[in-house]
Amino acid sequence: MSKQIRVVHYLNQFFGGIGGEEKADTPLQVRDGPVGPGLGLQKALGDRGQVVATFICGDNFFSSHTDAVLAELEQVVPAYQPDVLVAGPAFNAGRYGFACGQVGKALSERLNIRAVTAMYPENPAVENHRRVSGLWILPTSDRAGDMPKVLPKLADWAVRLGRGEPIGPAKLEGYIPTGQRRLQMTDTPGYERAFRMLMAKLNGEPFETEIPIEQFEMVPPAPPLKNVKTARLALITTSGLVPRGNPDKFRMFNATQWRQYRLPDAPTLRGQDWEVIHGGFNTAYAQQNPHLVLPLDVLREKAGEEFGRLHDEFYSITGVGTSLKVARQAGQQIAASLREAGVDAALLVAT
C-alpha cells in the first residue's frame, strides 16, 4: 500500500475563517490540522493523505511583509515534515493568488517541497508564477462557488506530487502550461517529423508543432500627432492616486474600477489632499509628493510651450494585480472618455 502523504495547506484570512477585508492585515498564523476548505480537502484525500497543518495569513499583511512571512514559513514548515503544499484555491482573487504563488515558490525552492495551487487563468498571479519549477497551477472558474469541484482535483494532485509521481505535459494533465520544455527521446529523426507536419499542413490534416509559439495580442500604434504644440494632453496614472479618503474605495490590488478626477486649480498637488492606493510599491514618498506619480507641476510649466494645453481631469487606476480582462475594459472606456473630451494625446505615468 502506498504511504499516506502529509499535506500542509495555505489559506488567506477569509477562507481561514478569521474575517473579510477588515482582517486583511492579520499576521501569519499556524494551526494544526485542516481549516475551512481544508476540511473538504481532507475529505477528498481520504486515507491517501492527511492535512497536518494550515497556515493562514491576511492578504494585505502578506503583500506588505512578503519576505518576513516566507522566512517564518521556512522555519516552521519543516516541523510538520510535509510531502506537499496545497495553496488556496484562489480563484480570481489577485492578492490571494499572489500569496499562493509566492508560498508555493518559496517552499519548492527553499525546502524542496512540491506544491500545487488553483486559480482562474486570468488571475494576474498565474502569469507571474506558472513558470516556477516545482509549482503547478490548476485552472478554475472565477467563482469561489466552484470550491466543491476544485478540492477533489487538488487532492488528487497532492497525492501524486506527494508520492513523487512524474507529471506529464499540460495538454494531457490539465494544468496551466508552464512554458517549460523537457527532452523526450524518439527513434524518428527531426527532419522526418518536420516533413510529416509539413505534409499534414499542406493536406489540411491535423498536426501539432513540437515548439509552440506563444501568441500575443497585436496592438497597432496610434497615428502620430499632427501638431504637438496645439495638442490637448491628458494624464493617466496606474498609481491609484485618489482624493484623500479614497471616496471610490479603490483596492490596493486587483482593481475593478477606474475614475477620473478634476485637477486642482492650484499649480501643484498637495499631499494632504491626495493619497495613493497601491500595494505594489512603497507609497510613502508619493504620499508626501504626489507629483512623483502625477507630474502636474512640470506639465503646468510646459503647457503652452512643449504642448498646447492640459486636460482639466486626470484618470486613475490601481495597476498592480489587475486582470487582463479588467485592464482591457478600463482601457477601452478611458479611451472613449478621452475622445469624447477632445483629448489629442495621453501621458501614461509609470509607477
Side-chain angles (χ1 to χ4, degrees):
M1 180 179 296
S2 300
K3 73 164 187 174
Q4 185 182 68
I5 64 166
R6 297 174 62 84
V7 180
V8 289
H9 194 193
Y10 178 85
L11 297 172
N12 71 352
Q13 83 285 349
F14 177 78
F15 288 105
I18 296 175
E21 194 64 26
E22 77 283 358
K23 296 294 185 180
D25 290 313
T26 300
L28 180 67
Q29 299 182 8
V30 184
R31 299 183 186 177
D32 292 338
V35 174
L39 298 172
L41 180 64
Q42 180 62 69
K43 181 179 180 180
L45 284 169
D47 58 5
R48 298 177 299 169
Q50 179 184 2
V51 179
V52 295
T54 304
F55 305 103
I56 306 170
C57 189
D59 285 333
N60 286 351
F61 187 89
F62 185 92
S63 62
S64 300
H65 306 83
T66 303
D67 292 341
V69 173
L70 295 179
E72 186 174 353
L73 284 171
E74 187 177 2
Q75 294 298 315
V76 300
V77 167
Y80 292 94
Q81 299 180 321
D83 299 299
V84 64
L85 163 77
V86 174
F91 299 100
N92 198 29
R95 288 174 299 169
Y96 190 18
F98 170 76
C100 289
Q102 286 290 298
V103 172
K105 181 176 185 293
L107 267 59
S108 173
E109 294 178 349
R110 303 180 189 182
L111 301 177
N112 197 30
I113 298 172
R114 298 172 112 189
V116 62
T117 184
M119 59 187 82
Y120 185 51
E122 286 197 15
N123 188 315
V126 169
E127 187 59 32
N128 291 334
H129 298 93
R130 68 184 181 91
R131 293 179 172 83
V132 173
S133 180
L135 169 66
W136 286 265
I137 304 176
L138 307 186
T140 72
S141 72
D142 61 350
R143 300 185 306 274
D146 285 345
M147 185 76 76
K149 300 178 182 178
V150 179
L151 291 177
K153 296 178 182 178
L154 281 171
D156 291 343
W157 270 80
V159 172
R160 292 184 61 190
L161 295 176
R163 291 176 178 172
E165 295 180 10
I167 303 298
K171 64 181 179 180
L172 298 179
E173 300 281 9
Y175 58 89
I176 294 176
T178 62
Q180 301 173 9
R181 298 206 308 267
R182 293 179 173 84
L183 291 176
Q184 183 174 344
M185 303 304 295
T186 176
D187 295 330
T188 307
Y191 69 85
E192 187 173 331
R193 302 197 307 274
F195 180 76
R196 290 177 181 177
M197 285 189 283
L198 175 61
M199 294 306 298
K201 182 175 182 180
L202 294 175
N203 293 326
E205 300 171 353
F207 71 95
E208 185 174 336
T209 178
E210 295 179 5
I211 307 179
I213 300 175
E214 191 170 358
Q215 299 293 322
F216 295 95
E217 180 183 2
M218 296 299 295
V219 180
L225 289 173
K226 294 181 179 179
N227 189 348
V228 178
K229 296 293 185 180
T230 61
R232 186 176 186 180
L233 179 67
L235 284 171
I236 305 173
T237 178
T238 57
S239 66
L241 181 69
V242 297
R244 173 66 64 176
N246 190 16
D248 295 302
K249 306 302 179 185
F250 268 35
R251 296 180 178 181
M252 294 177 64
F253 295 87
N254 196 19
T256 58
Q257 61 176 329
W258 60 273
R259 286 291 183 269
Q260 58 193 97
Y261 299 107
R262 187 172 185 83
L263 292 170
D265 294 330
T268 59
L269 298 172
R270 300 189 306 169
Q272 59 263 42
D273 298 329
W274 302 87
E275 61 181 303
V276 179
I277 308 299
H278 199 289
F281 68 97
N282 185 346
T283 62
Y285 298 104
Q287 195 67 63
Q288 296 175 4
N289 180 12
H291 294 123
L292 295 175
V293 293
L294 199 79
L296 178 63
D297 52 349
V298 174
L299 290 173
R300 283 259 169 87
E301 293 177 2
K302 301 297 182 180
E305 298 179 5
E306 302 295 335
F307 61 93
R309 65 190 181 99
L310 196 61
H311 185 44
D312 54 7
E313 293 182 326
F314 75 92
Y315 297 77
S316 183
I317 188 172
T318 303
V320 63
T322 301
S323 71
L324 180 61
K325 180 180 178 180
V326 171
R328 183 185 291 113
Q329 183 179 41
Q332 293 169 346
Q333 293 171 346
I334 292 174
S337 176
L338 292 171
R339 284 194 296 267
E340 184 178 353
V343 171
D344 300 300
L347 178 61
L348 180 60
V349 183
T351 48

